[in-house]
Amino acid sequence: MSDKRRSSDITKNASQSNQKNLLDLYLENPDKADEVAFGRKAYSDRRGFLKGLGLASMAATLGGYIPFHRNMPGGLIPAAMASGMPDLQIQGKDGLLILNDRPVNAETPPHLLDDEVTPTARHFIRNNGVPPVNVDPEKWLLTIDGLVNKSLSLKISDLKKHFDVVTKNLVLECGGNGRAFFEPKASGNQWTYGAVACSQWTGVRLADVLKAAGVQEEVVYTAHYSADSHLSGKPGKLPISRGVPIEKALGAENLIAFEMNGAPLHPMNGAPLRLVIPGWPGSCSQKWLTRIELRNQVHDGPKMTGKAYRVPNHPVAPGEKVEEKDFAIIEEMPVKSLITFPENNVEIRTDELEIRGHAWAGDRLVKKVEISIDFGATWQQATLNQPVNQGAWQRFKTTVKFPQVGYYEVWAKATDEQGISQPFAINWNPKGYLNNSFHRIAVRVV
Ligand SMILES: Nc1nc2c(c(=O)[nH]1)N[C@H]1C(S)=C(S)[C@@H](COP(=O)(O)O)O[C@H]1N2
Ligand SMILES: [Mo]
């Protein structure tokens, strides 16, 4: 049909990018691409015309309301994406690469994460469902209930009025960051390096709010609920509802946040209210937060059970089948580092080069970062800053000297305060979580 012809017209443009991106997906399978970008609801609606969630998410993606949306055929590549650009254009986001999966999932190339505080435009997006639309921050309500002395129902203005408002730089990293490098392949978003960020969050301490409600003796776990909807469009079906042990929840580092980087949260990063639970998988940090329930058992909401955000509780060989009873919930994230300067594949004409990046280690401190330019034969220690607050990443910096022209790889290795270092090899697990192997970049000295 004519849709097909439109697609093939731009094949040349698209093939310039070797990134698996939404444009490629449109070329391969326009209906699937609609589903990926705008949700299953939009996909079916576009047979008729775009409306509701589908229209709202398309408008958000394309950066504006679409007056003639009724005329847009299903599976048509929006021209905004078809100009040979590898990036999905999302209003307020810049330079992110879209991954081939469900409604908007986008990561940040490492060299765009060079800032101490990640700009909102470069904060990755990981959605399991379809974000809520027509959000009114003034009317937004957060409920704290379950095993509490007194249930609370709080507006954002109540949070600001009754609790300390604090600002912290906090690392969020998806548990599946680095999944693309697993062999055999693990299913799920093929994140490379960029499902991590350290923005500056403003909000109230989760602990203060829970204590105000009164945490009862038998509480062991939190359960987080939100206003996004399931891809199936089934009312009441939750895309994700995770929680953390109460001991972690009561840590002073965790926020219920209403601002990032001095402005209201970005719609794709959870506006108007979200949790930020640094040091643990990003999935613990519920976006579009509406309710926290305190429970006397480990939470069993969607993505808490089975293989989701779980890893084998004993070492396994690559490709080995693991029984479900042998999986354990991921808690603290492992030590990791990222080289943010220079960009991978640089060519330089000098023999000295500054190397910069960040390192982080769950709830622990990073003790040292080492750099190698000889495939790990020798290492030199980089200078390493203390975190600006608990939960922030730590800047590292050093200058390396290349002995002669040629091809080099710069490797980074961080070690945490317990003496645990990043491994060279990937710790394979069925769902591809927790890849904290060295970050490597290529440098050509010419
Ligand atoms: N309500 C809701 N919260 C959510 C998610 C989601 O799909 N829905 N995704 C989680 C996952 S898996 C991650 S890694 C982080 C990503 O946060 P970001 O999109 O702001 O980068 O949000 C978490 N919170
Ligand atoms: Mo995630």
Side-chain angles (χ1 to χ4, degrees):
M1 274 231 355
S2 60
D3 281 351
K4 244 201 182 119
R5 206 172 320 120
R6 279 192 210 98
S7 301
S8 59
D9 284 343
I10 64 155
T11 304
K12 269 198 211 95
N13 262 347
S15 64
Q16 287 166 359
S17 159
N18 56 9
Q19 278 291 333
K20 186 77 186 161
N21 59 47
L22 189 62
L23 183 53
D24 293 341
L25 189 57
Y26 264 109
L27 297 173
E28 266 167 35
N29 184 344
D31 287 344
K32 170 77 178 162
D34 266 2
E35 186 189 330
V36 166
F38 310 119
R40 200 177 299 274
K41 192 148 180 347
Y43 158 67
S44 49
D45 286 350
R46 281 183 84 190
R47 306 235 163 264
F49 53 85
L50 273 167
K51 62 188 176 204
L53 288 180
L55 177 58
S57 84
M58 178 176 265
T61 308
L62 297 181
Y65 178 69
I66 309 156
F68 292 115
H69 61 88
R70 278 164 199 265
N71 303 340
M72 287 183 89
L76 173 69
I77 304 168
M81 296 171 193
S83 54
M85 303 233 333
D87 307 347
L88 174 68
Q89 296 301 301
I90 303 164
Q91 196 168 33
K93 294 287 176 183
D94 178 28
L96 302 196
L97 298 167
I98 180 98
L99 304 179
N100 181 5
D101 206 332
R102 294 152 194 266
V104 190
N105 281 291
E107 71 170 313
T108 316
H111 69 281
L112 297 183
L113 290 170
D114 193 39
D115 301 274
E116 173 92 43
V117 174
T118 308
T120 301
R122 295 184 177 163
H123 197 289
F124 74 101
I125 302 169
R126 198 300 186 229
N127 291 345
N128 288 268
V130 183
V133 292
N134 298 327
V135 164
D136 181 351
E138 316 251 291
K139 295 210 180 98
W140 195 266
L141 274 186
L142 171 65
T143 302
I144 313 291
D145 63 6
L147 297 170
V148 293
N149 295 335
K150 181 175 174 290
S151 296
L152 302 177
S153 182
L154 301 159
K155 289 191 188 171
I156 295 175
S157 57
D158 297 326
L159 291 173
K160 291 179 181 170
K161 198 159 103 199
H162 299 300
F163 299 93
D164 271 1
V165 172
V166 291
T167 296
K168 292 168 191 276
N169 298 6
L170 300 172
V171 175
L172 267 185
E173 183 181 16
C174 183
N177 197 22
R179 178 181 290 131
F181 306 111
F182 279 76
E183 198 52 57
K185 286 274 164 242
S187 65
N189 288 314
Q190 296 299 302
W191 304 111
T192 64
Y193 298 107
V196 64
C198 183
S199 285
Q200 189 163 72
W201 304 92
T202 297
V204 298
R205 289 182 205 93
L206 171 62
D208 292 350
V209 176
L210 297 182
K211 283 178 194 158
V215 179
Q216 292 189 357
E217 195 74 47
E218 64 269 41
V219 171
V220 298
Y221 230 84
T222 60
H224 313 150
Y225 299 92
S226 53
D228 45 342
S229 43
H230 194 267
L231 289 180
S232 65
K234 283 206 185 105
K237 189 161 183 195
L238 308 179
I240 185 169
S241 170
R242 304 201 69 240
V244 293
I246 190 67
E247 297 76 29
K248 169 62 178 171
L250 291 176
E253 68 279 14
N254 310 305
L255 297 185
I256 302 175
F258 36 76
E259 278 184 18
M260 71 194 287
N261 300 322
L265 302 183
H266 187 281
M268 292 290 166
N269 301 116
L273 196 66
R274 76 172 298 167
L275 284 170
V276 184
I277 301 203
W280 287 46
S283 53
C284 299
S285 296
Q286 199 86 17
K287 304 192 276 188
W288 311 292
L289 182 71
T290 54
R291 177 181 172 217
I292 301 171
E293 181 195 12
L294 298 189
R295 304 192 59 174
N296 62 0
Q297 61 179 84
V298 176
H299 185 41
D300 52 3
K303 309 267 161 117
M304 281 301 299
T305 56
K307 294 178 185 168
Y309 302 105
R310 288 172 166 244
V311 287
N313 58 15
H314 57 80
V316 300
E320 190 175 325
K321 235 181 128 35
V322 183
E323 285 187 55
E324 232 166 71
K325 67 167 178 52
D326 290 339
F327 280 82
I329 298 172
I330 299 169
E331 299 199 323
E332 237 184 299
M333 295 287 282
V335 61
K336 196 161 173 180
S337 59
L338 187 71
I339 300 167
T340 57
F341 183 87
E343 187 174 350
N344 188 21
N345 272 319
V346 282
E347 205 174 87
I348 58 166
R349 275 153 219 287
T350 53
D351 59 354
E352 286 199 351
L353 181 64
E354 182 175 271
I355 309 293
R356 301 194 290 267
H358 313 285
W360 60 97
D363 293 331
R364 305 166 315 283
L365 282 175
V366 178
K367 200 179 62 186
K368 70 174 174 191
V369 173
E370 294 161 289
I371 301 294
S372 177
I373 58 165
D374 55 11
F375 302 96
T378 63
W379 295 89
Q380 80 181 56
Q381 202 162 327
T383 56
L384 177 67
N385 293 351
Q386 288 298 108
V388 301
N389 52 251
Q390 193 193 343
W393 60 22
Q394 296 169 240
R395 197 90 178 106
F396 69 81
K397 197 185 271 193
T398 195
T399 300
V400 295
K401 196 166 164 53
F402 299 103
Q404 60 183 91
V405 298
Y407 172 87
Y408 295 88
E409 287 191 8
V410 178
W411 294 6
K413 174 172 73 168
T415 302
D416 70 21
E417 59 185 335
Q418 293 170 356
I420 300 172
S421 299
Q422 294 180 251
F424 171 72
I426 297 172
N427 164 25
W428 190 90
N429 59 86
K431 291 282 284 170
Y433 293 118
L434 304 182
N435 177 3
N436 67 331
S437 59
F438 306 159
H439 183 206
R440 303 181 290 134
I441 60 160
V443 174
R444 279 184 191 75
V445 182
V446 294

